[in-house]
Amino acid sequence: MKSLSIIIPIYKEKDNFKILVDKIYINLKKIKINKKNYEVIFVDDNSNDGVDIIYYKIKKKYPSLKLFIRKAKTKDLSQSCIYGFKKSKFDKILVMDGDLQHDPNYIPQFVKKMMLGNYDIIIGARNFKYRDSVKLSFTRYILSKFLIIFFNTLLGKKTSDPMSGFFLFKKEIFTRSKKKLFGKGFKILSDLLYASNDFVKTYDINIIFKSRKKNSSKIGIKVIFYIFIFILSKFIKSLS
């Protein structure tokens, strides 16, 4: 792999920001990519929590680190990801959360698998066989299992975890399918997978989902509503 853009959508993650940045750059050193050919892009959903102050303090240490503030009326993870995709300049994009639940130690493994297997998307798949392995509340665990079954039954199984927020993909997938994206909510991977009519070669890497260290989950009724609208829209299109 010759180049890599890492996109991290964040909201109120000031306490996790520097910790995550340090961990990402430690793992980028393990990948054989020229420093000029990777970038780490944080897209902040207008948190106003002072994350920009921390960014400017460490920017000199990490020249390829970038922070964009998305000043939109509606806060939306998918929109933040799409914003990051458009700002990215390299042909491979890795998406991960900014709350330390996605371990940057997996980044070299993702990159190696894509290089050796010529895959289109490498997905960090959580093991939903046991709730303790995914560090979710009982309600979110049941909801996630239900949605995964729903996605894969109605829309065709392409991964064991279409709800994952930790994945590496070829930017051309976004370029080809961006006009078809639902573009709302918290599940941009599902959107990318099912917006494309072309066959995409995927590979699941089982990951251990870490416990949240700071702040709380952003998932609420509005997000769940968007997920169901997305599924319904894709199902209706499949019938036409």
Side-chain angles (χ1 to χ4, degrees):
M1 184 179 293
K2 296 180 180 180
S3 60
L4 177 66
S5 296
I6 299 180
I7 309 295
I8 306 109
I10 57 173
Y11 180 69
K12 301 291 186 183
E13 298 292 354
K14 179 189 70 172
D15 294 334
N16 296 320
F17 182 75
K18 187 179 183 301
I19 299 171
L20 180 57
V21 170
D22 289 340
K23 289 182 181 226
I24 288 173
Y25 277 91
I26 287 171
N27 281 280
L28 283 173
K29 290 180 180 178
K30 302 174 185 177
I31 304 170
K32 294 180 179 180
I33 300 178
N34 189 294
K35 289 183 179 180
K36 295 181 180 179
N37 292 332
Y38 61 70
E39 60 184 352
V40 179
I41 300 174
F42 282 80
V43 181
D44 183 86
D45 227 346
N46 204 17
S47 299
N48 292 317
D49 63 348
V51 70
D52 54 329
I53 297 173
I54 300 173
Y55 165 71
Y56 286 115
K57 285 182 179 179
I58 64 174
K59 170 66 177 172
K60 187 175 181 179
K61 182 179 179 181
Y62 301 116
S64 60
L65 178 64
K66 302 174 183 178
L67 173 68
F68 295 102
I69 309 296
R70 195 180 75 90
K71 295 183 179 180
K73 292 182 179 179
T74 304
K75 294 173 176 57
D76 188 287
L77 184 142
S78 288
Q79 283 296 308
S80 291
C81 286
I82 291 171
Y83 185 97
F85 299 163
K86 292 178 179 178
K87 291 290 185 182
S88 66
K89 60 182 181 181
F90 297 124
D91 61 344
K92 304 295 188 302
I93 297 176
L94 185 140
V95 179
M96 63 188 302
D97 288 349
D99 56 11
L100 301 178
Q101 291 185 294
H102 294 154
D103 191 342
N105 287 329
Y106 287 108
I107 294 175
Q109 188 178 349
F110 280 30
V111 170
K112 182 178 179 180
K113 180 57 68 172
M114 179 168 276
M115 288 175 62
L116 296 178
N118 193 30
Y119 293 100
D120 298 302
I121 307 178
I122 305 297
I123 300 163
R126 298 162 293 176
N127 180 6
F128 278 89
K129 187 174 181 180
Y130 304 105
R131 182 164 69 92
D132 288 345
S133 65
V134 290
K135 303 295 190 298
L136 297 175
S137 67
F138 178 76
T139 302
R140 281 195 62 194
Y141 173 72
I142 295 299
L143 176 63
S144 295
K145 286 196 71 171
F146 171 74
L147 288 173
I148 287 171
I149 294 171
F150 212 53
F151 268 118
N152 289 335
T153 300
L154 296 181
L155 307 176
K157 183 175 181 180
K158 297 180 181 179
T159 170
S160 64
D161 190 4
M163 307 287 287
S164 176
F166 192 13
F167 59 96
L168 170 65
F169 72 104
K170 295 178 179 178
K171 188 176 181 179
E172 63 187 70
I173 294 173
F174 167 70
T175 304
R176 291 199 312 262
S177 61
K178 60 184 177 181
K179 292 183 179 179
K180 301 177 184 177
L181 292 174
F182 181 68
K184 296 179 181 179
F186 272 54
K187 300 303 170 187
I188 189 64
L189 171 62
S190 301
D191 209 352
L192 286 168
L193 283 171
Y194 301 113
S196 176
N197 292 325
D198 301 326
F199 174 79
V200 288
K201 188 178 180 183
T202 65
Y203 186 90
D204 286 358
I205 290 179
N206 292 327
I207 64 169
I208 297 175
F209 201 57
K210 289 183 170 288
S211 298
R212 179 184 294 273
K213 301 297 182 184
K214 305 282 185 178
N215 302 326
S216 58
S217 172
K218 312 316 189 275
I219 291 184
I221 298 298
K222 185 177 181 180
V223 173
I224 295 171
F225 171 75
Y226 276 140
I227 291 173
F228 279 106
I229 292 298
F230 166 70
I231 293 174
L232 183 61
S233 68
K234 295 299 178 183
F235 178 60
I236 292 173
K237 286 182 180 179
S238 70
L239 297 177
S240 60

